[in-house]
Amino acid sequence: MSFWFWRGLQKGVQTTRYPRAYENAAGVTPGRPVATQFSSAHEAALAAQVCPVGAITPQDNSARVNLALCIHCQRCHFGDEPVMEWRSDYEWTRLPDTQQRYEPLPKAYKRSLHIIVVDAGDCGACLHEVKQLNTPFYNMHRLGMFFTATPRAADLLVVVGPVSENMRVPLLKTYEAMPNPKKVLAVGTCAISGGIFGQSFVSAGGVSSILPVDLEIPGDPAPPLAILHGLLVVTGRKAPVGHESASERSS
Amino acid sequence: MMVTPAPLTAPKKLEIEEIAAAVRDRFGPAVLVSRGQGGVVLSVSLFEPTTHPPISKMLFWDMGCSFGGIVVEELKGKWRLSYLFLSAGCGWVEVLVEAPSTVSALPSISSEVHAADWHEREAEDLFGLRFEGHPRLGDFILHDQMWPEGVAPHRKLHRELIDVHQEHFRRRPNSEWRPLLVVQDPGAFAMPVGPIYEGGLGQSVHFLLETVGEDVVRAVPRLFYNFRAVEKIAEEQPVSRVLLLAERFAATSSFAHSLAFCLAVERISSTQVPARAKNLRILLSELERLRHHAGAITGICESTALSVATSQAAIIEERLLRACCQFTGHRYLFGLNTPGGLRRDFSAESCTELLKAIDRAVADLHALEDGLYFTSSFLDRLEDVGIVDPDKARDLNFVGPVGRASACSGDLRRDCPYEGYETYQFEVPREIEGDGYARLRILFQEAYQSARLVQQATHRLEPGQISAPCEPLSGGVALGWAEAPIGPALHWLRLDASGLVERYRVMTASFNNWLGFRVAVEDFAFQDFPIILATFGLSPTECDR
């Protein structure tokens, strides 16, 4: 029995150095398509046509990407030319389109964040990636972040999935049971826009049609480091995409 | 501790002609036996629905077939119900019932074939078809506290019902609704678990555990919280779009599901998939199984609160996820399958890298397995806990690793091979105890077999095409199947003349095994419940669709 202790020591520290240093290990993120310049408007239009969910829009010689719709099908990554440029990063957390100002949780939460997760129609991928934060590679405890079993103790609601009709009421009840101040983080493309399930008689097509969403993390699924970035943004230790300068001023 | 399975007499392999002859002999004038189409080898059409229960009983109990599922279709002016049975070694047999669409009740077969129970409840909820003789219909997929009676959203004539602007969307729950409780002893109470439990880290499912104190007397899983109506929203969509749905409704086995879907499309269009693509598909399927099993083992360690082992298993799993991402560009193998083959090729170097990662995972799994088998406090929580004895497993038609731990050794890779599995060397492990420990052993053994299959597949990769054109698509119907990590994945697809999806039906192993899950939980103590749940490794979202 005691050998487990010895084995644990033998394995050494596996934990990522993120956020102190950028994690560059292979396979931590699938990457994402980014705005790409093409040699002609025709090529840009061709590249945009490949996308089955209309996440790519051509604009003159370039093509822009709306990550809120991207389902990581990789059609624009590995396919017939012209293909989009992909970037292997993971700091994707951003404000919803409806919000302009970014307000993290008060300072007291900086190293003490309690999180409740709700699977609202998720396929299991995003939920699984959230779970990975508890494993040795990501170990969010070292950052003072904890999953909690009850909404009464939670500061942050993480929602995965497009919000299925049967989960709508449990989700609302969870939100209502949380004390203030509270934040809602939509993880994954489904939670942002409904993803491939869209809006239907059993899918609300995203969390924002049910609850006010404070931050969103695109990705299908969002990799663990992207979610970790999101948690750091919630606690004010990182800035959301496009707001880096604002956070530098405040720090 | 380790018990070698007794050499049970293997079920006699039947030829398809034998089955046909037996059915003709017994039901002669009442049926029409013909060759099936679209992957089904034998079709038994009934002239009179009442002959159905005895025929199903004969196929399941006398012929040793396993039950696949029910496909309900609403074609022009008539119902078409296809009941699928698998005869190991010879293929899929369908019992076909057709009735005018004015008919609203059909005989139930679930008193003869218990595994059909949930399929009939599902058809009742979604199509409004009643099954006469079924003990409990209603309140299944459409939860009664939220949905009014009489909604049959999968019916074609109810097109307007699925309009999102209808007022039934966003209604309030009925506060009068109470669950049905059965245990009436003095002091009996029901302990609700879920749908949000373990801090939300468990997938959404609700359990009502009825008890009089220590032991769970009755356990009712209430599923379908994640019901996204995949089958309905696929209708009238092009195949390319439905492929994305097939891949994304259950991430734990996304490759297997997209493969089963592609196989159905290829069967309709009679596409020959190039050899390289076939071998790569086997490679990726087995990679997915290895990763899934590493995850399931992590779950079992976690449920027993053995924290170092949990961490060690989680390291193996995360490394495999990273290896998948490095190899394919996606941690969960999304975006690889396409009708006709694969969407991208892999270089020999990346295959070598993958093999290295797999060798490392296998070595780590061996070390973990040795450690676990020497940890008595861990084994005490698994041994003789959550027992499903072989008779019950057969009765409820358990499939996948859970079934193989209870002597139901069905495996589509061997019993009904696809993509050339028949040319590969692998073993299908089998245990007979049916307890949590047997299920854990199966997971380890299958993981090693998967690694072996990946190695074989990489050695067979000859340069060549990775996909064949699979267009244009016109009408047709076919069944596609694949052995997903948790058991068989069956995808039934009917395309209309313009190549759009007319009916898409997904039958998953989780749907099958959740039905029998209560058998393992009942009569065991409360504290065993999370462990039994982990050793089953079922996916609610795969069941819910």
Side-chain angles (χ1 to χ4, degrees), chain A residues 5-40:
Chain A
F5 175 71
W6 174 235
R7 278 207 188 165
L9 288 180
Q10 267 182 322
K11 264 274 167 13
V13 176
Q14 303 283 333
T15 310
T16 174
R17 292 186 62 216
Y18 185 79
R20 272 194 300 143
Y22 202 79
E23 175 65 66
N24 281 317
V28 288
T29 171
R32 62 179 171 128
V34 291
T36 310
Q37 279 291 333
F38 293 97
S39 57
S40 68

Side-chain angles (χ1 to χ4, degrees), chain B residues 121-182:
Chain B
R121 285 182 74 180
E122 184 184 21
E124 196 266 349
D125 244 16
L126 299 181
F127 286 93
L129 265 177
R130 287 197 68 79
F131 291 87
E132 281 165 355
H134 193 291
R136 191 188 171 194
L137 293 170
D139 189 25
F140 190 54
I141 290 178
L142 309 177
H143 292 167
D144 269 6
Q145 78 269 37
M146 293 301 293
W147 297 84
E149 282 300 312
V151 181
H154 283 209
R155 285 207 68 173
K156 302 259 189 222
L157 60 87
H158 284 207
R159 191 93 208 143
E160 75 283 356
L161 254 179
I162 66 165
D163 183 349
V164 289
H165 302 298
Q166 287 286 312
E167 61 178 274
H168 74 261
F169 187 68
R170 273 153 219 252
R171 61 198 156 318
R172 302 299 303 169
N174 172 12
S175 56
E176 299 294 303
W177 183 85
R178 292 288 177 276
L180 178 74
L181 299 182
V182 168

Side-chain angles (χ1 to χ4, degrees), chain B residues 102-335:
Chain B
T102 46
V103 166
S104 63
L106 288 166
S108 159
I109 64 158
S110 57
S111 54
E112 308 292 351
V113 180
H114 297 147
D117 183 337
W118 276 18
H119 281 275
E120 289 183 349
R121 285 182 74 180
E122 184 184 21
E124 196 266 349
D125 244 16
L126 299 181
F127 286 93
L129 265 177
R130 287 197 68 79
F131 291 87
E132 281 165 355
H134 193 291
R136 191 188 171 194
L137 293 170
D139 189 25
F140 190 54
I141 290 178
L142 309 177
H143 292 167
D144 269 6
Q145 78 269 37
M146 293 301 293
W147 297 84
E149 282 300 312
V151 181
H154 283 209
R155 285 207 68 173
K156 302 259 189 222
L157 60 87
H158 284 207
R159 191 93 208 143
E160 75 283 356
L161 254 179
I162 66 165
D163 183 349
V164 289
H165 302 298
Q166 287 286 312
E167 61 178 274
H168 74 261
F169 187 68
R170 273 153 219 252
R171 61 198 156 318
R172 302 299 303 169
N174 172 12
S175 56
E176 299 294 303
W177 183 85
R178 292 288 177 276
L180 178 74
L181 299 182
V182 168
V183 182
Q184 297 292 342
D185 292 325
F189 66 96
M191 166 114 149
V193 179
I196 300 165
Y197 61 105
E198 289 180 12
L201 293 176
Q203 290 185 5
S204 295
V205 55
H206 175 87
F207 301 95
L208 204 59
L209 305 177
E210 287 185 65
T211 178
V212 282
E214 183 68 17
D215 288 352
V216 176
V217 180
R218 183 168 171 269
V220 185
R222 193 170 163 81
L223 288 139
F224 306 104
Y225 282 94
N226 287 357
F227 179 59
R228 290 144 295 168
V230 167
E231 291 173 4
K232 187 66 187 178
I233 59 179
E235 281 178 13
E236 295 174 25
Q237 299 287 328
V239 163
S240 57
R241 176 92 187 175
V242 180
L243 171 64
L244 296 170
L245 273 174
E247 199 167 72
R248 275 166 183 76
F249 75 89
T252 43
S253 37
S254 71
F255 190 83
H257 283 294
S258 62
L259 176 58
F261 176 77
C262 287
L263 287 170
V265 178
E266 286 153 15
R267 207 157 267 135
I268 290 175
S269 62
S270 317
T271 307
Q272 292 297 323
V273 178
R276 185 175 172 85
K278 285 188 174 181
N279 286 324
L280 278 170
R281 278 177 168 181
I282 288 184
L283 188 158
L284 291 162
S285 302
E286 296 306 322
L287 179 60
E288 181 174 75
R289 195 182 320 276
L290 178 59
R291 189 214 70 217
H292 171 271
H293 284 8
I297 291 165
T298 313
I300 295 175
C301 295
E302 199 176 6
S303 72
T304 59
L306 192 64
S307 49
V308 181
T310 308
S311 296
Q312 307 276 306
I315 288 172
I316 300 173
E317 193 198 3
E318 172 67 17
R319 280 196 185 137
L320 282 169
L321 280 167
R322 290 182 181 185
C324 288
C325 187
Q326 236 186 318
F327 186 60
T328 67
H330 197 283
R331 286 161 62 92
Y332 294 85
L333 309 179
F334 287 5

Side-chain angles (χ1 to χ4, degrees), chain A residues 88-109:
Chain A
S88 275
D89 56 3
Y90 45 79
E91 294 194 333
W92 302 339
T93 309
R94 54 185 218 178
L95 297 182
D97 294 339
T98 48
Q99 284 194 37
Q100 304 301 320
R101 267 195 71 223
Y102 159 63
E103 193 73 47
L105 279 171
K107 249 187 172 168
Y109 295 87

Side-chain angles (χ1 to χ4, degrees), chain A residues 157 167-177 210-211, chain B residues 172:
Chain A
L157 175 63
M167 272 311 282
R168 182 169 55 85
V169 171
L171 174 65
L172 277 170
K173 282 185 176 172
T174 308
Y175 180 75
E176 281 155 16
I210 305 286
L211 293 175
Chain B
R172 302 299 303 169

Side-chain angles (χ1 to χ4, degrees), chain B residues 346-388:
Chain B
F346 303 97
S347 66
E349 296 81 54
S350 60
C351 289
T352 323
E353 282 296 309
L354 179 71
L355 279 185
K356 270 190 214 156
I358 284 177
D359 286 344
R360 188 179 188 186
V362 167
D364 288 349
L365 278 172
H366 272 297
L368 179 71
E369 190 185 14
D370 291 343
L372 289 176
Y373 293 172
F374 279 102
T375 307
S376 50
S377 66
F378 172 75
L379 294 184
D380 285 347
R381 306 297 309 272
L382 294 181
E383 269 183 302
D384 292 329
V385 167
I387 300 171
V388 183

